[in-house]
Amino acid sequence: MVLIPLLLITMLAPLFPCERLVLKGSLKECKGKDEGRICDGAVIKELKTINAKNPPLQVCEKGKLKVKGQKKVGADAPKQGGECEWYGQLYCNGDIIVDLYSWKFLKKCGQGRMYIYGRSWQEVADDTRFQDFLGNLIR
């Protein structure tokens, strides 16, 4: 049951170059000294190096600050700033939150606020939960 939404997320992820689809409650934030709370996946800073092609970046990953090369992180990784808090969970700017209980629409974090992010009619109509809902209405 949980595998279907995760499969859907991985299939749709390449369609949103600057946005990430994340499952509600699946992220672990980091705690920085000067930065405070940092959302999971955010690039904190670029570290100084002589390798200009693949500079190391400090990234929050699964609750820990790690150093990774820019090629491993990717150019579309979220930057620090513009985070949103939703039910105690910190999300990065541009995150699209998939809530399994709210299937009619998604929520998107944008510049410190949460917005309703509508799904297309085709996505809603193809969802088995909608078909069950429609079947209950017709009865």
Side-chain angles (χ1 to χ4, degrees), residues 7-27:
L7 180 62
L8 180 66
I9 289 170
T10 56
M11 287 173 33
L12 292 175
L15 300 176
F16 304 100
C18 296
E19 301 169 336
R20 308 185 299 174
L21 287 171
V22 293
L23 202 55
K24 178 182 171 188
S26 65
L27 304 176

Side-chain angles (χ1 to χ4, degrees), residues 4-135:
I4 294 171
L6 291 176
L7 180 62
L8 180 66
I9 289 170
T10 56
M11 287 173 33
L12 292 175
L15 300 176
F16 304 100
C18 296
E19 301 169 336
R20 308 185 299 174
L21 287 171
V22 293
L23 202 55
K24 178 182 171 188
S26 65
L27 304 176
K28 291 188 176 183
E29 63 187 59
C30 298
K31 302 213 186 305
K33 291 181 182 179
D34 298 331
E35 299 90 3
R37 296 169 65 192
I38 304 164
C39 64
D40 192 2
V43 174
I44 289 98
K45 62 183 171 182
E46 185 174 322
L47 303 173
K48 294 180 183 179
T49 184
I50 47 177
N51 184 5
K53 291 184 180 180
N54 190 22
L57 302 172
Q58 188 175 26
V59 181
C60 173
E61 186 176 283
K62 298 179 184 169
K64 296 180 181 178
L65 294 175
K66 296 185 178 183
V67 176
K68 289 186 162 190
Q70 188 173 16
K71 289 180 183 176
K72 279 192 172 185
V73 174
D76 59 346
K79 308 288 187 266
Q80 190 179 9
E83 295 93 348
C84 305
E85 185 174 353
W86 187 256
Y87 290 106
Q89 175 73 54
L90 195 66
Y91 295 98
C92 294
N93 188 23
D95 282 355
I96 300 172
I97 296 90
V98 178
D99 185 354
L100 297 179
Y101 297 107
S102 176
W103 53 271
K104 298 172 189 167
F105 57 87
L106 304 170
K107 290 163 275 310
K108 181 177 180 180
C109 173
Q111 296 163 356
R113 295 181 55 193
M114 295 298 282
Y115 296 93
I116 298 298
Y117 188 78
R119 296 175 68 190
S120 70
W121 167 247
Q122 191 64 45
E123 284 180 302
V124 174
D126 290 343
D127 196 313
T128 57
R129 294 171 288 186
F130 175 73
Q131 294 167 2
D132 294 342
F133 177 73
L134 192 59

